[in-house]
């Protein structure tokens, strides 16, 4: 490899891509968390307080909204995983922080899968019965969904904390490298 200004090493490209990924990393789970908080903890309970809303209509709206939320959650989870993988390839990433972020992200994704694969289909079946005029009887499914949402919120907060720490570490390392590069004698 030559020392010309136009020559860019693979490692430099990987480092810059990793730094950009680490810079984006806190944004994705923050958006994911904000959507959960807004929809699950604000929109869902308020919907049934709207004048003229019936339970079947509210359930139909809820089903549409939560289906859309889950689709966006899956997209954000995938984007976060890909961004983390790209960021981990950077030499500026501390493995201990990346490990904590990885495990908390795994927890958030597992909870998402439990909601989408287990609880939502059961809730949809119950809402079908109610919309058809039936009474499915008492159930703890809504409580289970709320518990899962709370667990996911906690996991995402931990993901965000680790992602911000990772970003700060990477920025410090990048600044030190830039300072050392600028202060080294030129030959």
């Amino acid at each position: 490899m030559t020392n010309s200004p136009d020559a860019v090493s693979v490692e430099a490209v990987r480092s810059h891509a990793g730094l950009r990924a680490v810079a984006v990393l806190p944004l994705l789970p923050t958006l994911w968390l904000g959507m959960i908080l807004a929809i699950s903890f604000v929109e869902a309970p308020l919907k049934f307080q709207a004048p003229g809303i019936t339970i079947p209509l509210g359930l139909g709206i809820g089903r549409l909204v939560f289906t859309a939320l889950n689709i966006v959650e899956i997209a954000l989870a995938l984007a976060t995983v890909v961004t983390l993988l790209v960021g981990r390839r950077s030499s500026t990433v501390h493995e201990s922080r990346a490990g904590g972020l990885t495990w908390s992200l795994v927890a958030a994704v597992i909870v998402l899968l439990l909601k989408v694969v287990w609880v939502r289909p059961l809730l949809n079946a119950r809402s079908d019965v109610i919309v058809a005029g039936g009474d499915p009887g008492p159930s703890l499914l809504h409580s289970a969904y709320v518990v899962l949402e709370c667990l996911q919120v906690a996991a995402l907060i931990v993901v965000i904390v680790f992602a911000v720490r990772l970003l700060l570490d990477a920025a410090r390392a990048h600044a030190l490298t830039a300072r050392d590069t600028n202060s080294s004698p030129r030959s």
Side-chain angles (χ1 to χ4, degrees):
M1 180 118 322
T2 66
N3 287 334
S4 73
D6 295 331
V8 179
S9 71
V10 172
E11 186 57 37
V13 170
R14 182 180 291 163
S15 177
H16 288 299
L19 189 58
R20 281 192 298 274
V22 171
V24 170
L25 195 54
L27 301 175
L28 298 168
T30 301
L31 178 60
W32 184 1
L33 174 64
M35 293 187 74
I36 291 171
L37 293 174
I39 291 173
S40 294
F41 297 103
V42 177
E43 183 275 338
L46 288 177
K47 167 181 53 220
F48 289 100
Q49 295 177 18
I53 196 88
T54 63
I55 290 185
L57 183 59
L59 290 173
I61 293 168
R63 183 182 238 169
L64 288 172
V65 169
F66 277 94
T67 298
L69 172 63
N70 291 152
I71 291 168
V72 173
E73 283 186 276
I74 291 166
L76 287 169
L78 289 172
T80 304
V81 167
V82 168
T83 305
L84 175 60
L85 292 174
V86 171
R88 283 186 81 133
R89 294 187 65 192
S90 167
S91 60
T92 59
V93 170
H94 282 85
E95 279 305 310
S96 63
R97 297 230 200 275
L101 194 155
T102 300
W103 285 110
S104 53
L105 181 56
V106 165
V109 169
I110 288 171
V111 171
L112 173 59
L113 291 174
L114 287 171
K115 289 186 327 184
V116 170
V117 175
W118 175 51
V119 180
R120 282 289 317 281
L122 295 172
L123 285 171
N124 287 346
R126 287 181 57 76
S127 68
D128 287 344
V129 170
I130 294 168
V131 169
D135 180 6
S139 170
L140 294 175
L141 285 173
H142 278 95
S143 298
Y145 196 87
V146 170
V147 167
L148 288 172
E149 288 284 55
C150 291
L151 290 172
Q152 192 173 32
V153 163
L156 286 171
I157 289 170
V158 174
V159 168
I160 293 164
V161 168
F162 275 112
V164 168
R165 287 181 175 175
L166 200 66
L167 174 59
L168 293 174
D169 290 346
R172 268 189 232 105
H174 185 72
L176 288 174
T177 303
R179 185 189 71 195
D180 291 345
T181 302
N182 290 335
S183 67
S184 66
R186 307 229 185 244
S187 41

